[in-house]
Amino acid sequence: MPRGRRGGRVSALEGGPEEEAPPAAAAVPSALWASQLQPEAAAGQILLRGIFEIERSSCDVVLSEQALRWRPIQPERPAGDSKYDVLCKEEFIELKDIFSVKLKRRYSVKQQGSGTLLGITLFICLKKKQNKLKDSTLDLINLSEDHCDVWFKQFKKILAGSTNVLAHSLHGIPHVVTATLHIIMGHIQPVDVCTFSTTGKFLRFGFSAMFGFGGRTLALAEKHRWMSPNQRRDFAIIKALAKLQPEDCEISFLPFISSQDLQERKVEGSPKSVSNDQWQTIQGQILNVSIMAIPCLCSVAPRGLAPNTRLNNGSMALIIARNTSRPEFIKHLKRYASVKNQFNFPFVETYTVEEVKVRPRTNSAPNLEEDAGRHAAASENNFPWNVDGDLVEVASEVHVKLHPRLINLYGGSMEEMNDSEVNCNCL
């Protein structure tokens, strides 16, 4: 097995000249980095191409749909130089083995700001032996802020996965032909959108959110991205259920009033607008809070996490699971996969609302893992939220407000579908 070149973490493939390497580099042989598949297997549509320094060598780096490939850039040599051919042999890693990415910077004690850019660091987990995994890093060095930013965003987009909450909620399956037909036929579907903010600061737009069990489950899954999506989902659910605990919080919401109700109030001489004194408040021990502006069809809930919600009816579903025993809560979760009413439990409350405010009343967020010391101190007092499948950590109250029919997409109406035929493999 050839050893890596001095100072590098990734060495040439089989057949290169042997050189002495530091212990850290020798401990990670090239067989762990370069896939045993042939380079043709890593082919796919090229997403980006650029130059980075890898192992102190300038390399031509290509990012495709399935792999990251690189080859050292060397001056021209006479034809038939076998040593040159070996040194320039292409290496690659499959994208499925990358579980995290960050910008690499150099910081000084007195320095203010984000530090001097050095490049991009990829965190990789590969199978060393049967049932054994090894994690390490690969540095792509380039001092250009713009160059690294383009690559960093592309990596983050790839690692974020392919779950599209809005598209799957419309039909339950990611079907390209169906989407194409809707575009050709000009079927326009208006969609309600939510804004998420905290202490007057805008966080993001979204369509669905979970706090409590749903947020902690996603936080656990994000710490094990080296697993396959199904494995880390099942692992996170089991671990979150094993440590099931309620959150002491206060939930305020503004009930939804339909246009028909407003018209009736006008006839009766009632106020035309909704005033602040109509806000309702719930306090206590809560296991999970779901706020859904769309039905959220998925593999674990074929009828949707909020089956009575539509894409453009101007309202959100607020689902609150109060504190109960673990067996009862598990029964509630299992109901999502069946045709039975998952809300028919004494500890589950459902409301149709326009706005929601969720305020945790504990001083700090619960410890998600025994080894919490590994994680950044900035997130220790933050509560995890699951917003459209993305982890959002917030330390204070979150305000969710609905904006009716804010965007349009190509698609049909949910009412045209038969619930018994809804199916999904989006997760």
Side-chain angles (χ1 to χ4, degrees):
M1 177 67 67
R3 297 179 182 176
R5 287 171 287 178
R6 182 172 61 86
R9 291 188 176 90
V10 183
S11 59
L13 290 175
E14 297 285 352
E18 293 192 0
E19 298 182 22
E20 289 299 320
V28 188
S30 119
L32 291 180
W33 282 103
S35 172
Q36 298 301 317
L37 298 176
Q38 295 299 318
E40 291 79 5
Q45 181 181 354
I46 294 178
L47 304 177
L48 290 173
R49 185 164 196 162
I51 296 177
F52 287 92
E53 179 184 328
I54 301 177
E55 296 183 319
R56 301 185 181 181
S57 296
S58 294
C59 296
D60 179 18
V61 184
V62 177
L63 177 64
S64 67
E65 294 177 321
Q66 302 175 16
L68 178 73
R69 297 176 285 136
W70 65 93
R71 182 189 297 272
I73 301 174
Q74 298 286 350
E76 291 187 5
R77 300 284 185 92
D81 191 328
S82 58
K83 181 178 179 180
Y84 168 71
D85 293 339
V86 171
L87 289 175
C88 290
K89 192 168 184 179
E90 182 179 80
E91 295 186 73
F92 64 94
I93 54 177
E94 295 184 84
L95 297 186
K96 66 181 180 63
D97 295 327
I98 302 175
F99 64 88
S100 185
V101 59
K102 74 173 183 178
L103 291 174
K104 184 178 182 180
R105 297 181 183 273
R106 178 185 289 119
Y107 300 89
S108 60
V109 177
K110 297 182 180 180
Q111 184 174 356
Q112 295 181 353
S114 58
T116 304
L117 179 69
L118 298 179
I120 301 173
T121 297
L122 305 179
F123 296 86
I124 304 171
C125 189
L126 298 177
K127 186 173 292 187
K128 183 178 180 182
K129 295 180 181 179
Q130 186 175 6
N131 299 327
K132 289 188 178 181
L133 298 172
K134 183 176 183 64
D135 63 308
S136 192
T137 58
L138 172 65
D139 293 325
L140 307 178
I141 305 301
N142 192 303
L143 304 184
S144 170
E145 188 83 33
D146 293 338
H147 186 66
C148 288
D149 187 59
V150 171
W151 281 74
F152 179 73
K153 288 181 177 178
Q154 185 67 56
F155 276 118
K156 294 294 286 185
K157 180 180 179 180
I158 293 172
L159 296 180
S162 59
T163 300
N164 186 323
V165 174
L166 182 56
H168 290 148
S169 188
L170 182 60
H171 290 293
I173 55 173
H175 198 266
V176 176
V177 176
T178 300
T180 304
L181 289 174
H182 281 303
I183 294 173
I184 294 174
M185 299 178 70
H187 292 168
I188 303 297
Q189 175 68 58
V191 181
D192 300 337
V193 181
C194 301
T195 53
F196 296 81
S197 58
T198 178
T199 59
K201 178 183 177 182
F202 173 77
L203 293 175
R204 59 175 288 167
F205 289 98
F207 304 94
S208 63
M210 287 187 284
F211 173 78
F213 175 79
R216 287 198 298 273
T217 299
L218 179 61
L220 287 170
E222 287 296 302
K223 294 170 185 174
H224 298 82
R225 290 196 64 87
W226 53 269
M227 296 181 178
S228 68
N230 288 337
Q231 284 180 326
R232 67 172 178 261
R233 181 193 66 189
D234 295 341
F235 168 82
I237 291 176
I238 293 173
K239 192 160 188 178
L241 286 172
K243 296 184 177 182
L244 185 65
Q245 57 182 347
E247 300 286 357
D248 184 15
C249 59
E250 177 181 288
I251 304 172
S252 302
F253 60 90
L254 188 63
F256 171 70
I257 299 179
S258 65
S259 57
Q260 181 178 355
D261 292 336
L262 287 176
Q263 186 65 30
E264 292 177 355
R265 290 189 179 190
K266 291 180 182 180
V267 174
E268 297 173 358
S270 301
K272 297 181 180 180
S273 60
V274 178
S275 58
N276 290 332
D277 59 5
Q278 290 181 301
W279 281 80
Q280 298 182 20
T281 301
I282 294 175
Q283 296 179 349
Q285 301 290 315
I286 307 296
L287 285 177
N288 188 70
V289 178
S290 297
I291 304 169
M292 308 286 177
I294 58 178
C296 294
L297 302 178
C298 61
S299 59
V300 296
R303 296 177 60 249
L305 296 175
N308 296 326
T309 304
R310 292 297 177 261
L311 297 174
N312 61 349
N313 63 353
S315 68
M316 300 182 292
L318 171 62
I319 305 166
I320 301 174
R322 291 184 178 269
N323 191 21
T324 187
S325 65
R326 184 181 292 107
E328 287 298 305
F329 186 69
I330 292 176
K331 289 180 182 178
H332 163 61
L333 296 181
K334 287 184 175 181
R335 284 278 185 92
Y336 279 99
S338 69
V339 296
K340 296 182 180 180
N341 183 3
Q342 61 265 45
F343 310 126
N344 189 23
F345 292 91
F347 58 89
V348 178
E349 303 173 14
T350 61
Y351 304 90
T352 304
V353 302
E354 297 179 4
E355 293 185 51
V356 180
K357 296 178 181 179
V358 180
R359 183 173 67 87
R361 299 197 295 180
T362 52
N363 294 328
S364 61
N367 193 353
L368 295 179
E369 285 202 4
E370 301 293 339
D371 54 353
R374 297 180 306 166
H375 309 298
S379 63
E380 288 181 355
N381 295 323
N382 290 345
F383 290 86
W385 281 75
N386 181 338
V387 182
D388 294 342
D390 296 331
L391 180 62
V392 179
E393 294 182 321
V394 185
S396 57
E397 176 184 275
V398 173
H399 181 192
V400 186
K401 185 176 181 179
L402 186 79
H403 301 270
R405 304 191 174 200
L406 187 62
I407 64 173
N408 291 323
L409 58 77
Y410 289 102
S413 174
M414 283 292 298
E415 281 76 10
E416 297 174 0
M417 300 178 61
N418 185 341
D419 284 347
S420 63
E421 297 176 356
V422 172
N423 193 13
C424 175
N425 57 359
C426 61
L427 294 181

